[in-house]
Amino acid sequence: MTVTATSVDQPDHLQPPSVQGARGRRLLRLVPALASALCGVLLYVSFPPRTLWWLALPAFAGFAWLLRGRGWKAALGLGYLFGLGFLLPLLAWTGVEVGPGPWLALVAIEAVFVALVGVGIAAVSRLPAWPVWAAAVWIAGEAVRARVPFRGFPWGKIAFGQADGVFLPLAAVGGTPVLGFAVVLCGFGLYEAGRLIVERRRTQTVRKAAAAAALLSVAVPVAGAVAARALVSDKAEGGTATVAVVQGNVPRAGLEFNAQRRAVLDYHARETLKLAADVKAGKVPKPDYVLWPENSSDIDPFGYPDAAAVIEGAAKAVGVPISVGAVVESDGKLLNEQILWDPAKGPVQTYDKRQIQPFGEYLPLRGLVGAINKDWTGMVRQDFSRGTEPGVFDIHGTKVGLATCYEAAFDWAVRDTVTHGAEMISVPSNNATFDRSEMTYQQLAMSRIRAVEHSRTVTVPVTSGVSAVIMPDGRITQKTGMFVPAYLVQKVPLRTSETPATRMGILPEMALVLVAAGGLGWAIGSGIRARRSGDA
C-alpha cells in the first residue's frame, strides 16, 4: 500500500497552487476586518487627552473605503469591528474599579449601534453626493445612542474629540450634531476625492458632478468653521465675576474614595480655609462665590449637624456663598444635590441632578444584574431619584448654570441652563472613582465644547482633578493636577447672548436625522427598483 502525505502536512511552498490560492484568499478576506478595527483605533487616538483631533479624518476616510458598495452583512460586521476598535479603548475607564465585565458589556452593546450605522452608510454609498447622506447617517446613529437604552449614553460623540480642532467654532452654529457632522463629512469627502483621482487616472475621464460633490464635502465644513469663528467670543456682556474653584482631593482613589467619614468634606473645607487666608493676605482677589465639586460633602449636611457646621465655617471664613455637592436623603429619596450655602443664611438654593448614571447612580434590570453578579447590586444599594428642574443658582444677581458631571455629555442638560438665564456654567464632578484614567480628560473636553456651543465661561470643579476654568472660546486658562488639593481664582466674563446652537436646540440634530432617513429611503427604493428591473 502506498501512503501519500496530505497537503496540510507539507510546507506552503510544496502545496498545490490551488491550496495555496485558497489560503491566500481566506487571509485576504481578513484584511477588511483588520483594517476596520484599526480605523476605529485611529478614531480613538484622535480623542483626549491627545490633541490629535485631525486623525478623525483619515479614520472616517478609511471607514468609507471599507464600506462603500458593500452588502448589508459585510457592512454590519465591519461596522461592529470599527465600533469595537473605537469604543474598547475609549471606555476602558468604566472597568477601572469594577473589572472588565461591565466595560466589555457596555462596549458590546454600544458597538451594535455603530454596526447598524455601518449598514446605513453602505446603503447610501451608491447615491449621488453620498458623503452627505453617509455623514448624516452617522449623526443619526449618535442621536439614537444618546437616548437609548436607559436614557442613552452619548460618550464617544465625534464632537467631543474636537476641542482642539479647527472645526470647533461649528459647535456655536448647531451644537455637537453639526460639529460632528462636519468632521465625518470631511473625512468621507477626502476618501471620495481620492477615489475619483484614482478613477480618473485609470479611465482618463472625470465625472464632474461627483468631483464637485467630493470637493464641497471637504471645502464646506472647513469654510463653515472659518466663518463660524465670528460667533466665538470671550467678551463680557453682563459684566464679570471673580470665581473660585476648589479641589479638595480625596483620601483614596476608587469606589471607596469616601469610606472615611467626613474626610472628603474636611479636605474641601481645609482648601477653602487656605483660600480665605490667601484672600486676607492679599495673595489672591476675593471671589464672588466658591464652587465645590460633586460629592464634595461625603455626608448629608441636612442630616448631620457636624457636616453643616464644617460647611458653614468655610463659608463664613471666605465670606461668600459656596456651591456644595452632596448626597442628600429627603422624604426617602436619595438625591445627588448641589446646595448653595450662604455664609449668613445657610442653604438657600438647591439643584438635584436630573440625568443620573445607569449602573452608577441607579441600577436598571436589578434582578437580572443580581443574578449575574450579586456584587454589582451591592455597589448601588439604593437608586438615586431624578431632579425635575434646571439648575440655575442666582448668586447676588449672577446666574450660574449647573450640569452635574455625567450631565455634561447630554446636549439638553447643558442647554436649558442657558435658556433659563445662566450667564456662566459650572460642571461639578467627582472622578475619584476612575483613578487616573482618561475619563477626566474626556469629560473636560466635553466642557470645552459646551463653552463654545453656548458662548459661556465653564468652570469644572472636580474632587480629585482635573479642575479647570474654561473661557467661552474653549480655551483652558487655569487647571489643576490630579489627586492634589488646589484652588483656582479667576475673573471671568459673564455672557447673556445666545448662539444659534442655543436658540435652535434640537432642530439641527433632527434635520440631520431627516436627511439620513431620506438617504436611506432613497437607497432602499433604488435597490427595490433595481431588483424588479432585474426580475423583469
Side-chain angles (χ1 to χ4, degrees):
M1 183 176 66
T2 302
V3 179
T4 304
T6 62
S7 61
V8 293
D9 295 324
Q10 298 175 4
D12 288 348
H13 68 281
L14 296 179
Q15 291 184 357
S18 60
V19 174
Q20 295 181 43
R23 180 173 295 176
R25 286 191 295 272
R26 285 196 298 270
L27 291 174
L28 195 61
R29 282 197 293 267
L30 294 177
V31 171
L34 179 61
S36 191
L38 289 176
C39 284
V41 172
L42 193 63
L43 181 59
Y44 155 70
V45 175
S46 75
F47 272 65
R50 295 157 296 277
T51 57
L52 303 174
W53 59 270
W54 52 271
L55 287 178
L57 303 180
F60 278 106
F63 195 39
W65 168 65
L66 292 162
L67 289 180
R68 190 174 185 278
R70 295 276 186 180
W72 73 267
K73 291 181 181 178
L76 187 72
L78 293 172
Y80 196 78
L81 290 170
F82 182 84
L84 291 180
F86 173 43
L87 296 172
L88 266 172
L90 186 80
L91 302 180
W93 52 268
T94 60
V96 166
E97 292 296 331
V98 294
W103 163 46
L104 296 176
L106 174 63
V107 170
I109 293 169
E110 293 295 313
V112 171
F113 292 95
V114 182
L116 295 174
V117 165
V119 174
I121 290 172
V124 301
S125 67
R126 298 176 177 86
L127 300 178
W130 69 265
V132 176
W133 307 107
V137 168
W138 181 274
I139 299 304
E142 287 190 345
V144 174
R145 274 209 312 124
R147 290 165 174 82
V148 294
F150 314 124
R151 300 200 176 195
F153 186 74
W155 224 275
K157 274 190 169 188
I158 298 307
F160 295 151
Q162 296 295 309
D164 293 293
V166 298
F167 298 103
L168 177 60
L170 289 170
V173 176
T176 59
V178 168
L179 173 53
F181 175 76
V183 175
V184 180
L185 176 61
C186 195
F188 287 164
L190 286 171
Y191 161 72
E192 179 68 353
R195 188 185 70 82
L196 291 173
I197 290 171
V198 172
E199 182 181 277
R200 180 183 180 279
R201 289 177 177 174
R202 188 175 65 250
T203 64
Q204 301 300 311
T205 59
V206 178
R207 292 184 291 132
K208 293 182 179 179
L215 179 62
L216 290 173
S217 295
V218 177
V220 169
V222 175
V226 172
R229 289 184 64 85
L231 298 172
V232 180
S233 173
D234 60 2
K235 181 181 178 181
E237 296 172 327
T240 61
T242 301
V243 58
V245 171
V246 169
Q247 174 178 302
N249 203 11
V250 296
R252 58 181 67 82
L255 293 173
E256 300 301 319
F257 74 95
N258 63 349
Q260 184 179 337
R261 185 184 185 278
R262 223 185 70 184
V264 178
L265 172 57
D266 288 344
Y267 280 21
H268 285 81
R270 184 185 309 160
E271 195 63 23
T272 305
L273 293 175
K274 180 182 176 183
L275 166 64
D278 288 347
V279 168
K280 187 175 181 180
K283 295 180 180 179
V284 293
K286 183 178 180 178
D288 296 306
Y289 42 88
V290 177
L291 302 171
W292 284 9
E294 176 189 34
N295 302 145
S296 47
S297 178
D298 46 3
I299 52 178
D300 182 356
F302 296 122
Y304 294 90
D306 60 326
V310 170
I311 297 169
E312 187 172 330
K316 286 184 175 180
V318 76
V320 297
I322 302 176
S323 178
V324 179
V327 173
V328 171
E329 190 167 355
S330 176
D331 298 326
K333 295 181 179 179
L334 205 58
L335 300 168
N336 187 335
E337 191 164 83
Q338 286 290 311
I339 307 162
L340 186 63
W341 207 286
D342 186 88
K345 301 176 182 177
V348 290
Q349 299 174 59
T350 60
Y351 166 64
D352 299 325
K353 187 177 181 181
R354 295 170 293 163
Q355 187 69 25
I356 56 177
Q357 184 181 350
F359 303 100
E361 293 172 306
Y362 79 100
L363 196 60
L365 311 174
R366 184 176 288 272
L368 177 61
V369 172
I372 296 172
N373 190 325
K374 291 183 179 179
D375 291 340
W376 293 345
T377 59
M379 294 176 187
V380 188
R381 294 184 180 88
Q382 180 181 346
D383 291 344
F384 280 76
S385 296
R386 303 176 188 276
T388 57
E389 298 296 326
V392 181
F393 284 168
D394 189 333
I395 310 177
H396 300 317
T398 298
K399 292 188 175 180
V400 179
L402 298 164
T404 304
C405 196
Y406 185 58
E407 292 182 321
F410 293 83
D411 296 346
W412 64 268
V414 182
R415 175 180 176 267
D416 69 2
T417 68
V418 179
T419 57
H420 282 77
E423 298 166 288
M424 65 163 285
I425 300 167
S426 184
V427 183
S429 302
N430 172 29
N431 297 341
T433 304
F434 304 108
D435 205 351
R436 297 180 181 272
S437 69
E438 293 183 356
M439 183 270 187
T440 191
Y441 300 102
Q442 293 171 10
Q443 192 176 58
L444 184 60
M446 293 178 192
S447 295
R448 294 179 64 190
I449 301 299
R450 300 306 183 194
V452 175
E453 182 179 11
H454 301 293
S455 194
R456 294 292 187 272
T457 297
V458 176
T459 56
V460 187
V462 184
T463 50
S464 55
V466 173
S467 300
V469 178
I470 304 167
M471 290 291 100
D473 60 5
R475 288 179 300 120
I476 297 176
T477 52
Q478 290 192 69
K479 65 178 181 179
T480 70
M482 293 185 73
F483 292 99
V484 292
Y487 68 76
L488 308 173
V489 180
Q490 185 170 327
K491 181 183 286 187
V492 300
L494 303 175
R495 291 182 59 83
T496 55
S497 62
E498 292 186 353
T499 64
T502 306
R503 289 193 294 270
M504 289 190 291
I506 198 174
L507 292 179
E509 183 179 59
M510 290 299 98
L512 290 170
V513 169
L514 289 175
V515 170
L520 290 170
W522 185 3
I524 292 169
S526 297
I528 292 172
R529 287 192 294 273
R531 283 195 294 272
R532 287 176 177 173
S533 297
D535 291 342

